[in-house]
Structures are given as C-alpha cells and as structure tokens.
C-alpha cells in the first residue's frame, strides 16, 4: 500500500537482459537519443536481482529528503520511513568504449570488465542505516587485473546537516598480472567519518591546508568564501600486506 504518511510494500525486480533494457531506454521519446549517444559502444550481459521492502509513506520520505538536502533538522513526529533492500548479481560482463576508459593511445579496442559475486544489502532509515557490500571486479586479458572488496558501514543523519558514518569492516585486495601480488588493505579498527554543512569560513579544520599554501599571496576574496562542508575522521587503523621482496 502507498499513502502520504503510512504504507508498506515489497518490490522484486529481475534484470535478465541488459541489452533489451538498453534498447528500451534508447526508444524513450525525448531522452532516448541522448541516452543512446551516451551509451554508444557500451554493452552488458548477465543478470541481477533487486528485492526491497519498505514501511512508511511517500510524503514522509519526501519531507525527510527535503530537510536533509537543506541541512535542516528532520521533521518531528511518529511518522518514519524505513527501507530494506538487497541487490545481487552473480556475474555481469560490461564492455566500455575506448573513450570511457580514458585511453590516450588512440586505440579502438573496447575494454571489458567482469563484475563477480556482487552483493549489497541496505537496511534502515535516514537517521540510522547499515550497508554491507561485497564484490569482485576483473579486467581479463594478458594484463589481467583483479580487485575484491568487502565492507560494512553504519550511519545516518544524526542532526541538522550532520552526517556520520562508521566503517566497521573494510578489506580491499588487488592483483595485477604484471606485478607481484596480491596486495591487501584491511581495516584494523572502525573508522568514523562525520560531515557537516558549514556557513562559516574555514577554521582549525583547514589549518594544514592554509599552512601548505602560506607562501602564496593572500587571496582576500577566497578568505571570505564559506566552506561548503567540513569532514572529520577518527583515528582508525589499517593493515597493508603484500608479497615479500625477493
């Protein structure tokens, strides 16, 4: 059921034919041609699945998003909007045109990327949500490259204009066929990131930046410009491992 202030429902989507979806997007009136031009030379094969369950009204969600976008406190009241969603894709093969890969060699060979075991789960509300993500990316060929990522994050909008996220787990492993490996980065302690909108000029948080640019002439106009946001991070720890030399 869908209503302004209450409701609940379930959604299931099966994406079994990316090429057909691409053709359908290109056929849409008004936007089909720009979409087709943007995806020129790009293609995908594989399958993906989306499942979602929500509780709450669409107007409640709209009010919460508007308040978050404007940096205001969340609307008070008993109405809430909660979402549980998951995305899974056992295998997706994506082909990108040479221009999309930033190649400067002038070659015409497309670039292939394989996404394996993609799994993402999101649960909660704007105030408090959790995200678990795992995926592997592979660039096949003689110069094969691989990357594997697993992470768990929790966070939300804790106050007016104040977002906080805690990375509870993170492991990234990369391997390049041309170099010894693999290399791995693993978080040893949770890392908390806090961002907030700011209408004041940059202060202590940007002191290192000012010190690094102290040799430049002062810019009066820039000094009066407000910082768009502030970012603070806790002292998390990470461990990097790789092949032993020799």
């Amino acid at each position: 059921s869908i209503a302004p202030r209450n409701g609940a429902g379930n959604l299931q989507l099966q994406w079994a034919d990316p090429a057909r979806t691409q053709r359908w997007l290109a056929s849409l009136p008004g936007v089909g041609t720009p979409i087709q031009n943007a995806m020129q030379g790009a293609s995908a094969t594989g399958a993906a699945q989306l499942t979602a369950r929500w509780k709450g009204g669409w107007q409640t969600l709209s009010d919460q998003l508007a308040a978050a976008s404007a940096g205001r406190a969340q609307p008070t009241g008993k109405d809430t909007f909660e979402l549980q969603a998951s995305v899974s894709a056992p295998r997706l093969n994506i082909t990108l045109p040479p221009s999309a890969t930033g190649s400067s060699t002038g070659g015409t060979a497309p670039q292939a990327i394989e996404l394996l075991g993609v799994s993402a789960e999101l649960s909660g509300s704007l105030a408090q949500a959790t995200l678990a993500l795992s995926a592997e990316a592979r660039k096949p060929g003689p110069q094969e490259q691989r990357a594997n990522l697993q992470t768990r994050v929790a966070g939300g909008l804790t106050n007016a204009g104040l977002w906080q996220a805690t990375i509870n787990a993170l492991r990234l492993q990369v391997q390049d066929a041309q170099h010894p490996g693999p290399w791995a980065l693993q978080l040893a302690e949770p890392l908390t990131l806090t961002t907030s909108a700011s209408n004041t000029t940059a202060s202590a948080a940007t002191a290192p930046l000012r010190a690094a640019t102290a040799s430049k002439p002062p810019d009066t106009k820039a000094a009066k410009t407000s910082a768009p946001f502030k970012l603070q991070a806790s002292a998390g720890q990470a461990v990097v491992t790789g092949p032993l030399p020799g």
Side-chain angles (χ1 to χ4, degrees):
S1 61
I2 300 177
R5 295 299 176 186
N6 55 70
N10 297 279
L11 174 68
Q12 287 190 348
L13 291 177
Q14 297 281 349
W15 192 38
D17 192 344
R20 184 178 180 182
T21 303
Q22 186 174 354
R23 292 193 298 270
W24 175 77
L25 291 173
S27 69
L28 294 176
V31 297
T33 299
I35 291 177
Q36 186 176 16
N37 292 337
M39 296 190 301
Q40 189 69 36
S43 63
T45 59
Q49 176 177 322
L50 166 67
T51 60
R53 180 174 61 187
W54 73 87
K55 180 180 179 182
W58 60 265
Q59 187 64 57
T60 300
L61 175 61
S62 177
D63 292 346
Q64 291 177 348
L65 292 174
S69 161
R72 302 192 306 264
Q74 288 291 292
T76 57
K78 62 180 181 179
D79 296 326
T80 60
F81 187 91
E82 297 180 355
L83 174 69
Q84 292 182 335
S86 64
V87 176
S88 62
R91 188 186 191 97
L92 284 175
N93 298 319
I94 302 174
T95 302
L96 301 176
S99 59
T101 63
S103 175
S104 59
T105 61
T108 58
Q111 297 289 334
I113 299 176
E114 295 181 358
L115 298 180
L116 306 171
V118 177
S119 175
E121 295 183 358
L122 175 67
S123 177
S125 63
L126 279 179
Q128 182 62 40
T130 59
L131 171 66
L133 172 66
S134 63
E136 179 180 351
R138 174 177 174 264
K139 182 180 177 182
Q143 301 176 0
E144 182 182 78
Q145 296 173 328
R146 286 179 176 266
N148 192 293
L149 172 68
Q150 294 98 29
T151 186
R152 288 185 291 107
V153 183
L157 185 62
T158 60
N159 208 334
L162 184 66
W163 294 87
Q164 186 175 82
T166 300
I167 305 176
N168 294 305
L170 172 66
R171 177 175 174 81
L172 174 64
Q173 180 174 294
V174 296
Q175 186 167 8
D176 190 326
Q178 292 185 308
H179 303 281
W183 288 86
L185 170 68
Q186 183 165 345
L187 201 63
E189 292 183 2
L191 174 66
T192 299
L193 302 174
T194 303
T195 64
S196 61
S198 175
N199 293 322
T200 60
T201 55
S203 56
T206 56
L209 178 60
R210 292 203 305 269
T213 59
S215 59
K216 295 184 178 181
D219 190 339
T220 305
K221 182 178 180 180
K224 295 181 179 179
T225 302
S226 299
F229 65 92
K230 292 182 179 179
L231 173 64
Q232 295 179 333
S234 67
Q237 294 185 1
V239 177
V240 178
T241 58
L244 295 176

